[in-house]
């Protein structure tokens, strides 16, 4: 009888005989087989901790909104891992490795901190991937980084700009054959696909936001015209009274509002109000609205307000400037990145239309449609929410005629637009006519902007809107 004591040291197993009474070949052979079986079970995988890298804009924490993977799932490079929400924008976290998800460090709605592990992923150690590399943050529609997307069981490779172009034209990427490297779908592939559908030859477009005309069979159906103003119906919700106080943390866009409004409190606001007669603009929009719908764009009054503001900023660039913290230097912004305040389910957000000074009214309308769609879905990127130089807030879509808007630092001016009302007014002959009247309220940083400058800018902006044809003289 042989009594064996087995001792483990690292991955090597030793068999030592304490008492050797009988020694034969069968016992030695059995022990050797046991050692081979034990060592063959050692895994060669390597666990890498994904850490949440710095997203920028001074963000130190985010809220996990959605997981695209679960423990045990296999992921490839550029596959979406999760979506997080900062106080500025939604950000999609994508994978840099090929491997298997072993652990999710957060649940939905948990707060994740920059520099802390997000997920654990098992990778093949033989590939020599450095474990200290972090995850990649990809703001939607922000830059040309390649991303993967799984559609109907297979993965399609395309850049965010190409995906946006496909989304705006209601095209499924799974129906297009890519001609780029590794079957990557290029912008030319989208345009060629559109040309085949419409039967037209489309030149390469310099801007992905411009939507080609749709065929008559695919035109956007127009809603029946209702001349009467619709009365808003209050939403009846069951009142739940618990009798207990409830405390919730300030997160997301509410936290951004706290920071921005606290900084705005340091600015001495100067207010200026006026009324605008939009009778001619209302008629012009009614004429252009069907034409815009044939191109797949919903035309509202806001593109005209934005373009008129940009034309006014060309004459009064001090309103498109910023003041440093020490109030020693004024920076005049070359681009007119005009923000538009939007009311969403996540709270108040202010995305901006970039480079309005070189955009047409139709291009502004197309960009507004994109921003509104992404804002409603909570998918606006950091690039859409940052870099604003001037802001318009259309509070009239909800109600009210006047407001007192608060400046968004580092901007120096903001305008609040009231609702359009049908009111009696007098023409040059003293005759009463039905006028479309809208009130506007301006707020300006009184440290660098005086009342006369604000009034002159408002008068110029007003003249463009009351006489839309005059805008043609200054359009570029």
């Amino acid at each position: 009888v042989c009594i064996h004591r087995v001792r483990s040291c690292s991955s090597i197993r030793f068999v030592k005989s304490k008492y050797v009474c009988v020694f034969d070949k069968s016992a030695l052979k059995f022990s050797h087989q046991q050692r081979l079986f034990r060592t063959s079970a050692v895994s060669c995988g390597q666990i890498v901790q994904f850490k949440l890298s710095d997203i920028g804009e001074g963000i130190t924490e985010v809220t996990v909104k959605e997981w695209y993977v679960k423990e045990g799932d296999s992921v490839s490079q550029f596959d979406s891992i999760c979506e997080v929400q900062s106080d500025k924008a939604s950000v999609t976290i994508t994978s840099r490795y090929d491997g298997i998800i072993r652990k999710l460090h957060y649940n939905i709605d948990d707060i994740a901190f920059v520099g802390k592990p997000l997920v654990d992923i098992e990778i093949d150690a033989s590939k020599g991937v450095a474990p200290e590399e972090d995850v990649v943050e990809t703001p939607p529609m922000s830059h040309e980084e390649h991303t993967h997307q799984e559609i109907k069981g297979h993965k399609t490779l395309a850049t965010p700009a190409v995906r946006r172009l496909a989304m705006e034209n209601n095209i499924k990427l799974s129906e297009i054959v890519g001609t780029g490297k590794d079957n990557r779908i290029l912008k030319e592939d989208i345009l060629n696909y559109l040309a085949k559908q419409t039967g037209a030859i489309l030149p390469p477009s310099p801007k992905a936001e411009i939507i080609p005309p749709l065929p008559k069979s695919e035109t956007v159906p127009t809603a029946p015209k209702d001349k009467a103003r619709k009365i808003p119906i209050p939403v009846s919700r069951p009142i739940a009274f618990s009798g207990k106080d409830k405390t919730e943390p300030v997160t997301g866009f509410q936290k951004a509002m706290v920071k921005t409004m606290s900084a705005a409190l340091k600015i001495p606001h100067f207010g200026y109000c006026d009324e605008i007669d939009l009778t001619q603009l209302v008629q012009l929009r009614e004429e252009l609205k069907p034409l815009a719908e044939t191109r797949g764009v919903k035309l509202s009054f806001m593109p005209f307000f934005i373009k008129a503001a940009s034309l006014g900023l060309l004459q009064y660039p001090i309103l498109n400037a910023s003041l440093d913290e020490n109030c020693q230097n004024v920076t005049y912004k070359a681009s007119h990145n005009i923000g538009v305040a939007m009311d969403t389910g996540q709270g108040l957000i202010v995305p901006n239309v970039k480079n309005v000074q070189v955009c047409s009214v139709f291009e502004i309308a197309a960009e507004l449609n994109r921003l509104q769609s992404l804002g409603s879905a909570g998918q606006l990127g950091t690039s859409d929410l940052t870099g604003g130089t001037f802001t318009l807030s259309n509070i009239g879509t909800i109600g009210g005629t006047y407001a007192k808007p608060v400046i968004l630092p580092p901007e120096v001016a903001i305008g609040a637009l009231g609702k359009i009302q049908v009111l009696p007014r007098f023409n040059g002959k003293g005759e009463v006519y039905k006028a479309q009247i809208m009130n506007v309220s301006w707020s300006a940083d009184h440290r660098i902007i005086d009342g006369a400058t604000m009034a002159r800018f408002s008068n110029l902006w007003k003249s463009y809107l009351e006489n839309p044809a005059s805008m043609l003289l200054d359009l570029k």
Side-chain angles (χ1 to χ4, degrees):
V1 179
C2 296
I3 302 175
H4 297 81
R5 182 174 64 195
V6 180
R7 181 173 57 196
S8 176
C9 178
S10 183
S11 61
I12 306 175
R13 303 186 63 85
F14 298 93
V15 179
K16 180 178 180 181
S17 299
K18 186 174 182 181
Y19 302 101
V20 180
C21 298
V22 180
F23 180 83
D24 57 15
K25 294 182 178 180
S26 62
L28 180 61
K29 183 178 180 181
F30 175 78
S31 300
H32 183 63
Q33 289 175 343
Q34 287 290 91
R35 290 196 299 271
L36 291 178
F37 175 78
R38 292 291 183 183
T39 55
S40 64
V42 177
S43 174
C44 62
Q46 180 181 7
I47 301 297
V48 174
Q49 283 192 334
F50 267 39
K51 295 180 181 179
L52 182 61
S53 298
D54 186 10
I55 300 177
E57 300 293 331
I59 296 173
T60 59
E61 61 183 41
V62 296
T63 302
V64 179
K65 303 303 295 182
E66 184 178 0
W67 284 105
Y68 299 121
V69 296
K70 60 181 181 296
E71 295 182 0
D73 285 355
S74 297
V75 294
S76 302
Q77 294 185 38
F78 307 112
D79 279 353
S80 297
I81 298 293
C82 66
E83 181 179 346
V84 298
Q85 175 72 57
S86 70
D87 58 357
K88 296 182 181 295
S90 296
V91 179
T92 300
I93 308 298
T94 57
S95 175
R96 182 169 291 181
Y97 310 122
D98 299 332
I100 302 174
I101 301 296
R102 290 306 183 192
K103 181 179 179 181
L104 306 180
H105 286 269
Y106 300 99
N107 297 320
I108 300 296
D109 293 330
D110 284 353
I111 303 297
F113 297 92
V114 172
K116 300 297 182 180
L118 191 64
V119 297
D120 290 351
I121 181 170
E122 181 180 345
I123 61 176
D124 189 353
S126 63
K127 295 183 179 180
V129 180
E132 65 272 8
E133 294 186 30
D134 294 328
V135 295
V136 179
E137 291 82 22
T138 308
M141 314 297 180
S142 62
H143 51 74
E144 298 295 319
E145 181 175 355
H146 301 311
T147 56
H148 288 284
Q149 182 181 7
E150 188 167 342
I151 302 178
K152 294 183 179 181
H154 71 277
K155 293 177 180 177
T156 304
L157 188 60
T159 63
V162 172
R163 295 186 187 280
R164 182 175 66 186
L165 181 61
M167 179 185 66
E168 291 174 345
N169 290 277
N170 298 322
I171 297 176
K172 295 181 180 180
L173 293 179
S174 58
E175 299 176 354
I176 300 178
V177 178
T179 59
K181 183 180 179 181
D182 299 328
N183 295 325
R184 181 178 292 111
I185 297 177
L186 306 177
K187 184 173 70 173
E188 290 75 13
D189 299 330
I190 301 290
L191 297 177
N192 291 334
Y193 181 84
L194 281 173
K196 293 179 181 178
Q197 296 295 319
T198 60
I201 300 177
L202 300 177
S205 174
K207 292 190 176 183
E209 296 84 4
I210 300 177
I211 303 176
L214 297 176
K216 294 183 179 180
S217 60
E218 298 182 6
T219 55
V220 179
T222 58
K225 294 183 179 179
D226 186 6
K227 297 296 183 180
R229 181 179 294 273
K230 295 182 180 179
I231 301 176
I233 302 176
V235 179
S236 59
R237 298 179 181 177
I239 301 176
F241 181 74
S242 61
K244 297 180 180 179
D245 297 341
K246 183 173 66 173
T247 303
E248 296 180 349
V250 179
T251 59
F253 293 121
Q254 287 183 335
K255 180 175 290 187
M257 188 184 301
V258 170
K259 296 178 181 178
T260 304
M261 294 301 102
S262 298
L265 186 62
K266 304 176 183 179
I267 300 175
H269 284 55
F270 168 79
Y272 179 83
C273 302
D274 199 358
E275 72 172 29
I276 319 295
D277 187 348
L278 299 180
T279 304
Q280 294 188 34
L281 182 61
V282 170
Q283 296 175 356
L284 177 62
R285 175 179 172 267
E286 288 298 324
E287 296 175 1
L288 298 179
K289 187 177 178 181
L291 179 60
E293 288 178 346
T294 59
R295 300 186 183 184
V297 174
K298 181 180 179 181
L299 182 62
S300 63
F301 289 103
M302 184 57 72
F304 296 97
F305 300 154
I306 293 175
K307 188 59 183 180
S310 177
L311 295 176
L313 293 176
L314 292 174
Q315 301 295 327
Y316 300 95
I318 186 63
L319 296 174
N320 196 60
S322 63
L323 185 65
D324 63 358
E325 295 182 359
N326 298 325
C327 299
Q328 299 296 322
N329 299 291
V330 178
T331 302
Y332 294 85
K333 304 293 185 179
S335 298
H336 296 172
N337 300 337
I338 299 182
V340 180
M342 294 182 181
D343 179 42
T344 67
Q346 294 80 27
L348 175 66
I349 57 176
V350 189
N352 57 83
V353 181
K354 299 290 194 299
N355 298 311
V356 177
Q357 75 279 3
V358 294
C359 293
S360 66
V361 173
F362 176 77
E363 290 172 340
I364 297 172
E367 179 67 4
L368 278 178
N369 286 182
R370 184 186 72 85
L371 294 175
Q372 288 168 349
S373 299
L374 295 177
S376 300
Q379 297 178 352
L380 284 169
T382 304
S383 61
D384 295 323
L385 295 169
T386 57
T389 61
F390 187 86
T391 299
L392 292 176
S393 176
N394 192 5
I395 192 64
T397 56
I398 301 177
T401 55
Y402 288 96
K404 187 180 180 181
V406 181
I407 300 172
L408 303 178
E411 300 174 17
V412 295
I414 184 175
L417 313 176
K419 63 181 180 181
I420 300 176
Q421 306 177 89
V422 179
L423 299 174
R425 289 295 183 267
F426 292 94
N427 59 19
K429 299 179 181 180
E431 300 171 343
V432 178
Y433 71 99
K434 183 175 66 175
Q436 304 279 350
I437 301 299
M438 181 190 72
N439 299 109
V440 60
S441 304
W442 301 103
S443 291
D445 189 341
H446 212 351
R447 294 175 297 182
I448 60 173
I449 299 174
D450 54 68
T453 301
M454 189 73 253
R456 292 189 181 99
F457 168 82
S458 180
N459 290 338
L460 180 58
W461 180 77
K462 174 180 178 179
S463 67
Y464 284 133
L465 297 178
E466 291 187 340
N467 303 282
S470 64
M471 297 175 63
L472 296 176
L473 298 176
D474 297 323
L475 288 178
K476 297 182 179 180

